[in-house]
Amino acid sequence: MHIALTHEQADFDALASLLGVWLLDEEIFPVLPRRMNRNCQAFISFYGSELPFVEPRDLPPEEVEMVTLVDTQSYITVKGASEKTQVRVIDHHPRRLDLPDQWKIVNIESLGACTTIFVERLHEIKKPLSSLQATLLLLGIYEDTGSLTYNSTTARDMRAAAYLLEEGASLRIAMDYLNPPLTNGQREVYEQLLNQMELHKIHGQKVVLAKATAENLTEEISSIAHKMRDLFDPDALFVLVTTAEGIRLVARATTDQVDVSAIAAYFGGGGHARAAAALVHPDEGSTKLDALNKVYQELLEILPDFIRPPITVGQIMSRHPLMISPDMSAKEAAHLMQRYGYEGYPVVKEGRVIGLLTRRAVDRALAHKLNLPAGSLMEANEIKVYPGDSLDHLQQVMIQSGWGQIPVVSPESGEVIGIVTRTDLLKIQAGNNTLVSGRENFAKQLEETLPPGRLALLRVISETAHTLRAPAYIVGGFVRDLLLDRPGLDFDIVIEGDAISLARSLAHQFGGRVIAHKRFGTAKWQIQEARATIAQKLLNQNLPAPLDFPESLDLISARTEFYEYPTALPTVEHGSIKLDLHRRDFTINTLALRLDGRHFGELYDYYGGLHDLQKKLVRVLHSLSFVDDPTRMLRAVRFEQRFNFSIEHRTLQLITEAHTLLRQLSGSRLRHEFDLILAEEKPERMFARLKELDLLNAIHPALDWKEEQAAPLLRVLHDPLDQRWRLPESFGHFPIRRALAYLVWLMPLLIEESQAVAEKLRLPAAIQNALKTGQQLLAELPALVSAPVSQLVERLESTPRPALYAIYCQGTSPEVKHLIEKYLTDWQYIQIITDGKVLKAIGVTPGPIYSRILATLRAARLDGQIKTDEEEQALLSQMVRAIAKFD
C-alpha cells in the first residue's frame, strides 16, 4: 500500500498537495492529518465527500510499502508502516540536514507553495480537473503565497494559479475559506496577545512579540497571527501561546531581513522564510507559565543574532583602508592626507587599533612647526565596529567616541578590514545613497539582455571568482545602460583582488592567452582559442548554439588614483571596489553588479548613482573632480545630451568655476573627447550645449558652433555617402566620416583661426591641409562661377575630395552647388586620348612640357574648343609644330 501524508495542523497547501499527489497516481491513499486549521476543517466538512481523502482509521489493514510526504519533511509513523517502508519527499521548504539517507528526495524546490509542483505536472499531462479539485488546488497556492502577494511568490506559482482559473477554480469559494472570522476562543486569545504585545526595534526592523495562555483552545493559532500581522504591519511577528500540547510559536515575516524558519528551527520547528512554527515542550517540573516566560525571554535574546540589518557597516565601508603606524611623522601623514584626501586614518600597532589620526591634529601640529609622531597626535582609543553591525550601532559609536572615521575589524581575525566614515552614514540617512547590495538583484536583466555566449562567459567568471574568493564586478557604463534599458554588449570586469591571477586561472581551465600588465594589475584574456572549450562545457548544459563570445575580455584589479597637479594623468594604486568606483567621473557611472557566487547580479551603489539615474541627473562625485580632470566637463555634456538628462546644479557651478582649465589640456586628450562626441547620435546638441556653457571658447577663443552647422554635420555623419564622390574609407588616419565632420565643423572659421584650432587639437596633417585648401576654395568659388570650365575644374581637382564634399554639404549657393554637381556628373569624366606614350611616339622630348601639353588639351576639351578625337589630334600637331619652331 502506498499512502501520502502531510504535517499536522494542516493548512490548505498541505491538503491541496495531498490532492495533487492522488491526481497524479490514484492508487495512492491521501491520508488526512489528525489536526487541521479551522478553515481547512470547515472545507473538508462541507466538500469532503467529493474528495479522495482518507481518515487514518479508514486505511485498509495492509502493510505500508511506501509513504510520500508532501509539504513537510517530518514523518509520523502510521499503522502498517515498518522499517522497510520507503519514504519519498515532495516539498517547497528548505531541505533539512538531518533527513535519513535512505529517504528519496523526489522534489524539493523553492516555490511559494508546494501545490505548484503538482499543478505544473497536472498541466503537463493535461489531467482533467473538476471545478472543486481546481478550487482546492488554488486555495493551496493562494494561502501559502498570501494570494500571490508574498515575496516568496514565484512566476511559476502565478502561472499555476492562472491555469487553475482556466480549469474552473472558483475565486468566490476560495475567498470564503481564506479569511475566516475568529471564533470566540480565538478572539479571547487575540485580546490577551494585544494586551501583552511588545514592539521592539532590532537592527532597524520593527518586531512584534506577544504571548498568551490558551490551554483549552482547539482552533489554529495561525489565523490569530494573521490578524495581528494585518493590524500592526511589522517586519516580523512572533506569537507564543501555551496549549495542551506545549508552547506553540507562530512566526511571520514581511522582509528578507528576517528568516523566521531559522528562528523556528532554533526551537525545534520549521517552515519557510516568511511563515514558520514550532512546538516547545516545557522542562519537566516547570509550570507552563514559567516555561512561556522562559521561551519568550530566550526568543528576545536570540533575535539580534537572526535578524539582519537592512544595511550593515560592511556594505558601506571602504575596504583595505590606509593605516599608519604610531611612529609616522606629521609631515608624512600630511602628505598621505593630501594625496588620498581622507580626513582620518587608523593608527595601528601590531595589528591592533590604538587610535585615530585626524587631519585637524596634523594641520595644528605643522602650524606650530611640530613634526611629532602620529602616536603623540592621535586620539588614543580602541574604537572599532564589525562588518555585520547595524547603522544604528555605528551611529552610537560615533556619538560616544566623537570619531568621524571608525575602523572596521574582522570578527574572526581581529584585523582591520575597512573604514567607515561619518559621510558614509549621512549619505544613507539623507536618502542620497541607494545602496541595495543584498536587497536588489539584476541577474534577471542580465539573463534577458545578454546573448548566450556573453552570459555564459559571466557565469564562468562567477564560478572561478567564487572559487578564488575574489569578488568580481561589472562596473560603470554597462551597468548604467542596463538600468536605463539601453543595454550594450561590451563590459570590463573589476576584481577586488588579483585580476591577473583570475585571468590565468580562466586560461588554465579553458585555454586562451593572457596578456598581463603587472604595474597596473590588469589582464587581457584572449578568448579566441578558448571559445571551443567554453562552448563545449556550456553546450553540455543545453545552452543554445552557436555562442557569441567576444574576442577578448579585460580584467582589472580594483584601484584608486590621485592627481599630482591639475590636468595631470592620474597615478594609480590598488584599492577596494568602493575606492575604484570613487575614482570615476559621475555618480551614474559608479554602479557595479557583483558576479561571484551567490552574489551574481547584486547591485552595489555607494554614491547614489541609481537615485541620479531615476532623477535624470548628471552629478559629479566631488568638488575637485573637474580640477583633477577637466575633460570630465566635456563628458558631462555628452552624457547629459545622450540620455536627455540635466547637469545637476552644483555640478554646473563647478563647471563654470573650472572651465578655464580646458585650455591646459593636451590636444590629443581634447580631440579624443571630440571623437567620442562625433560618434554619438546627437552630436549637434552636444556642440550647442558646449557653446552655451562657454566650454568651446575655453578650449580656444576661435572655436565656435552655429545652429546652421547641425544639418551638414549630421549629413556627413549619418546619411549615405554619395558614391559619385569616390571618397576613401579613411582620410588622415581617421575614418572618413569623422574626418568630414571635423572639416564641416571647422571650415566656417577664418583660415588662421581654423589652422590654430587644428593645431591645438593635433589633427592629422592631411586634414589640416584639406581644411586650409577647402577654405581657400570656398573663398574663390563666387568668382569661379563665371570662369571658364577648365579653370573651375582645375581648381576643384586640386582640392582634396573630402574638403570638396564638406563644401558641398555646407549649403553653398545654388549656382556653386550646380557647378559642383556638373563636375560630379560630367566634367570629371571628360578626358583626352593623348598621354605620355603618344607624346614620346611623336618625338616630344620628355619633361615638364608633357604636363603643359596634356593640361592644354584637356582644357580645350572642357571649354568646348575641341569636341572630337580628330580635333584633339589636330590641336596636338599644331602645338608640337609650335614647340619645334620655338626650339
Side-chain angles (χ1 to χ4, degrees):
M1 180 171 58
H2 184 174
I3 67 173
L5 301 174
T6 190
H7 57 84
E8 291 299 309
Q9 208 63 52
D11 56 10
F12 274 117
D13 192 23
L15 291 184
S17 296
L18 284 176
L19 175 63
V21 77
W22 178 82
L23 287 168
L24 293 173
D25 184 354
E26 294 184 7
E27 296 296 319
I28 297 175
F29 290 90
V31 181
L32 286 172
R34 292 176 178 83
R35 292 188 303 276
M36 291 180 281
N37 288 347
R38 183 167 49 90
N39 54 348
C40 296
Q41 186 65 61
F43 185 89
I44 294 298
S45 297
F46 197 82
Y47 296 105
S49 60
E50 301 177 49
L51 295 167
F53 299 127
V54 178
E55 295 281 355
R57 63 177 178 271
D58 295 331
L59 283 171
E62 300 174 11
E63 180 181 354
V64 178
E65 296 175 348
M66 180 173 289
V67 172
T68 296
L69 299 177
V70 296
D71 197 34
T72 185
Q73 295 167 46
S74 298
Y75 174 39
I76 300 176
T77 58
V78 295
K79 187 177 179 180
S82 66
E83 293 181 357
K84 295 180 181 179
T85 300
Q86 299 178 44
V87 179
R88 306 189 314 163
V89 178
I90 302 175
D91 193 13
H92 72 126
H93 300 105
R95 179 172 177 171
R96 283 173 47 182
L97 300 178
D98 58 348
L99 293 183
D101 294 337
Q102 64 270 28
W103 285 16
K104 181 179 180 181
I105 307 301
V106 177
N107 201 334
I108 292 182
E109 295 193 67
S110 181
L111 294 167
C114 187
T115 306
T116 298
I117 299 171
F118 299 100
V119 173
E120 288 179 334
R121 180 62 181 146
L122 292 168
H123 188 187
E124 184 180 334
I125 65 175
K126 297 182 171 59
K127 176 79 172 182
L129 298 175
S130 69
S131 176
L132 179 61
Q133 290 167 346
T135 300
L136 177 52
L137 293 169
L138 184 69
L139 275 165
I141 294 174
Y142 267 33
E143 186 170 61
D144 250 32
T145 63
S147 298
L148 306 176
T149 63
Y150 293 167
N151 283 355
S152 55
T153 306
T154 69
R156 290 170 60 185
D157 297 303
M158 291 187 169
R159 285 193 290 268
Y163 169 69
L164 293 171
L165 290 172
E166 291 172 353
E167 290 296 301
S170 169
L171 282 174
R172 181 187 60 78
I173 295 175
M175 290 304 103
D176 286 344
Y177 286 93
L178 280 176
N179 300 295
L182 298 181
T183 65
N184 291 334
Q186 286 176 318
R187 182 158 293 282
E188 288 179 11
V189 175
Y190 179 65
E191 296 294 339
Q192 278 192 65
L193 291 169
L194 290 181
N195 290 331
Q196 300 199 55
M197 184 274 295
E198 291 183 353
L199 176 63
H200 296 269
K201 195 77 174 289
I202 302 176
H203 294 328
Q205 302 296 311
K206 186 170 71 171
V207 180
V208 168
L209 276 75
K211 58 185 178 179
T213 58
E215 296 187 26
N216 297 322
L217 183 69
T218 57
E219 295 90 4
E220 75 283 352
I221 300 170
S222 58
S223 298
I224 306 172
H226 287 161
K227 296 288 184 185
M228 293 192 67
R229 184 195 61 195
D230 294 342
L231 177 63
F232 294 107
D233 191 26
D235 297 307
L237 168 73
F238 297 91
V239 170
L240 288 166
V241 179
T242 61
T243 66
E245 296 89 357
I247 300 167
R248 288 206 171 272
L249 166 67
V250 177
R252 298 291 183 265
T254 60
T255 172
D256 291 337
Q257 271 61 55
V258 187
D259 181 355
V260 293
S261 66
I263 298 167
Y266 176 88
F267 290 101
H272 47 82
R274 297 302 178 92
L279 177 61
V280 183
H281 297 287
D283 295 335
E284 192 172 341
S286 64
T287 66
K288 288 187 177 180
L289 183 58
D290 290 341
L292 175 65
N293 292 330
K294 180 181 177 182
V295 173
Y296 186 92
Q297 190 59 39
E298 187 175 3
L299 174 64
L300 191 57
E301 290 173 359
I302 68 164
L303 283 178
D305 298 329
F306 285 91
I307 295 177
R308 300 189 304 274
I311 303 178
T312 63
V313 167
Q315 290 175 270
I316 69 170
M317 73 180 184
S318 297
R319 293 184 177 276
H320 313 300
L322 292 168
M323 296 176 286
I324 61 178
S325 63
D327 55 356
M328 177 181 281
S329 70
K331 287 184 179 179
E332 291 173 312
H335 179 71
L336 200 68
M337 291 172 175
Q338 182 179 7
R339 187 180 224 190
Y340 296 103
Y342 302 121
E343 296 297 318
Y345 292 82
V347 182
V348 177
K349 182 178 182 180
E350 298 176 354
R352 184 172 57 86
V353 177
I354 62 171
L356 182 78
L357 183 65
T358 64
R359 181 188 291 269
R360 182 181 180 188
V362 170
D363 289 346
R364 290 181 65 183
L366 294 179
H368 292 287
K369 299 182 179 180
L370 298 173
N371 192 23
L372 297 173
S376 301
L377 296 171
M378 70 181 187
E379 298 176 23
N381 213 324
E382 293 187 39
I383 305 297
K384 60 183 179 292
V385 292
Y386 297 103
D389 285 344
S390 68
L391 299 193
D392 288 342
H393 175 69
L394 171 65
Q395 182 172 358
Q396 288 304 312
V397 170
M398 286 183 170
I399 291 171
Q400 292 169 8
S401 67
W403 288 16
Q405 300 82 26
I406 308 293
V408 185
V409 174
S410 166
E412 291 83 17
S413 65
E415 296 179 355
V416 178
I417 59 172
I419 194 164
V420 60
T421 69
R422 186 179 287 112
T423 301
D424 295 329
L425 182 61
L426 288 174
K427 282 181 178 179
I428 295 287
Q429 293 176 334
N432 294 329
N433 184 304
T434 50
L435 178 71
V436 290
S437 172
R439 291 190 291 139
E440 191 165 351
N441 190 290
F442 290 86
K444 184 178 180 181
Q445 284 88 330
L446 287 174
E447 291 163 356
E448 293 175 347
T449 299
L450 288 175
R454 280 172 165 76
L455 179 61
L457 196 59
L458 288 188
R459 291 292 188 187
V460 164
I461 293 169
S462 171
E463 294 171 9
T464 305
H466 178 63
T467 301
L468 298 178
R469 295 186 178 181
Y473 305 84
I474 304 181
V475 300
F478 175 88
V479 183
R480 175 200 66 217
D481 293 346
L482 180 73
L483 299 186
L484 288 174
D485 201 23
R486 307 167 51 126
L489 294 179
D490 296 326
F491 48 76
D492 296 333
I493 307 296
V494 173
I495 307 300
E496 203 166 28
D498 190 347
I500 297 175
S501 293
L502 179 61
R504 287 174 175 161
S505 177
L506 290 166
H508 178 73
Q509 293 178 73
F510 302 103
R513 190 163 58 94
V514 173
I515 301 173
H517 299 280
K518 292 184 178 179
R519 178 183 174 190
F520 299 106
T522 62
K524 183 182 289 291
W525 181 26
Q526 301 283 3
I527 300 177
Q528 297 99 318
E529 303 168 20
R531 290 181 184 180
T533 308
I534 300 175
Q536 181 60 41
K537 178 177 179 181
L538 297 167
L539 285 171
N540 288 339
Q541 301 175 14
N542 298 318
L543 291 181
L547 297 181
D548 172 34
F549 291 111
E551 292 186 0
S552 63
L553 184 68
D554 291 322
L555 296 106
I556 305 158
S557 297
R559 53 194 179 178
T560 186
E561 61 187 27
F562 58 90
Y563 295 78
E564 295 287 358
Y565 55 87
T567 76
L569 292 173
T571 300
V572 176
E573 293 183 358
H574 288 297
S576 64
I577 185 63
K578 185 176 180 182
L579 291 175
D580 187 277
L581 296 172
H582 186 262
R583 69 187 179 85
R584 297 172 191 273
D585 45 15
F586 306 104
T587 58
I588 59 174
N589 293 331
T590 63
L591 299 164
L593 290 181
R594 190 166 173 180
L595 300 176
D596 51 298
R598 64 181 176 83
H599 300 289
F600 189 83
E602 285 182 0
L603 178 66
Y604 280 64
D605 178 15
Y606 292 104
Y607 303 107
L610 187 59
H611 172 270
D612 286 341
L613 275 184
Q614 293 164 345
K615 295 295 183 182
K616 297 187 175 184
L617 292 175
V618 177
R619 185 193 308 272
V620 78
L621 247 67
H622 53 85
S623 59
L624 293 179
S625 184
F626 296 131
V627 175
D628 289 340
D629 183 2
T631 62
R632 289 172 175 165
M633 290 183 264
L634 306 182
R635 291 205 289 277
V637 169
R638 181 155 54 89
F639 291 135
E640 177 193 47
Q641 298 302 313
R642 179 200 295 177
F643 300 126
N644 199 24
F645 282 15
S646 299
I647 298 177
E648 179 263 340
H649 175 73
R650 171 65 174 155
T651 302
L652 269 180
Q653 181 183 345
L654 294 172
I655 288 175
T656 302
E657 294 170 356
H659 76 286
T660 57
L661 292 172
L662 285 168
R663 201 164 297 178
Q664 300 178 26
L665 287 170
S666 68
S668 58
R669 292 184 69 191
L670 285 167
R671 195 189 70 231
H672 175 69
E673 294 299 325
F674 286 132
D675 289 349
L676 293 175
I677 287 175
L678 292 172
E680 293 280 347
E681 186 179 344
K682 300 175 282 192
E684 78 288 358
R685 291 176 51 177
M686 298 174 188
F687 282 123
R689 182 67 160 147
L690 289 173
K691 178 179 181 179
E692 180 185 347
L693 297 177
D694 204 27
L695 298 183
L696 293 178
N697 191 257
I699 293 170
H700 191 282
L703 198 54
D704 196 12
W705 174 259
K706 293 183 174 61
E707 187 178 346
E708 56 266 26
Q709 290 179 276
L713 181 71
L714 293 177
R715 182 175 181 181
V716 300
L717 284 174
H718 301 310
D719 288 359
L721 296 176
D722 193 331
Q723 295 301 313
R724 296 176 302 170
W725 286 88
R726 295 179 288 178
L727 293 166
E729 290 186 1
S730 63
F731 185 68
H733 307 296
F734 278 13
I736 186 60
R737 288 187 182 276
R738 188 196 303 167
L740 291 170
Y742 276 109
L743 292 172
V744 165
W745 179 24
L746 300 178
M747 202 169 278
L749 301 179
L750 298 175
I751 292 179
E752 297 79 9
E753 293 174 342
S754 67
Q755 290 300 296
V757 170
E759 286 284 348
K760 172 67 177 175
L761 298 181
R762 299 286 183 89
L763 293 179
I767 293 180
Q768 292 194 38
N769 177 63
L771 181 61
K772 183 176 181 179
T773 308
Q775 288 174 307
Q776 291 170 341
L777 174 62
L778 202 56
E780 297 170 17
L781 275 174
L784 289 172
V785 169
S786 56
V789 171
S790 59
Q791 185 179 340
L792 175 62
V793 169
E794 179 184 10
R795 189 66 188 85
L796 293 179
E797 290 184 340
S798 67
T799 303
R801 279 293 172 98
L804 193 56
Y805 189 73
I807 292 172
Y808 180 76
C809 293
Q810 290 277 10
T812 51
S813 67
E815 296 84 2
V816 170
K817 201 161 190 175
H818 172 72
L819 291 176
I820 295 176
E821 284 279 358
K822 189 71 174 172
Y823 168 73
L824 278 179
T825 55
D826 296 331
W827 295 338
Q828 69 170 328
Y829 299 110
I830 295 177
Q831 300 296 331
I832 57 177
I833 61 173
T834 306
D835 58 16
K837 291 180 180 179
V838 172
L839 294 179
K840 188 174 183 180
I842 63 177
V844 179
T845 304
I849 193 66
Y850 275 32
S851 298
R852 292 200 296 273
I853 292 173
L854 297 176
T856 302
L857 290 173
R858 186 162 184 250
R861 282 267 194 180
L862 288 167
D863 294 336
Q865 297 171 359
I866 57 175
K867 295 182 174 61
T868 66
D869 293 348
E870 291 76 14
E871 290 178 348
E872 180 183 327
Q873 289 174 342
L875 179 58
L876 174 61
S877 298
Q878 181 182 340
M879 292 174 66
V880 170
R881 288 194 299 271
I883 292 170
K885 182 178 180 181
F886 180 78
D887 290 342

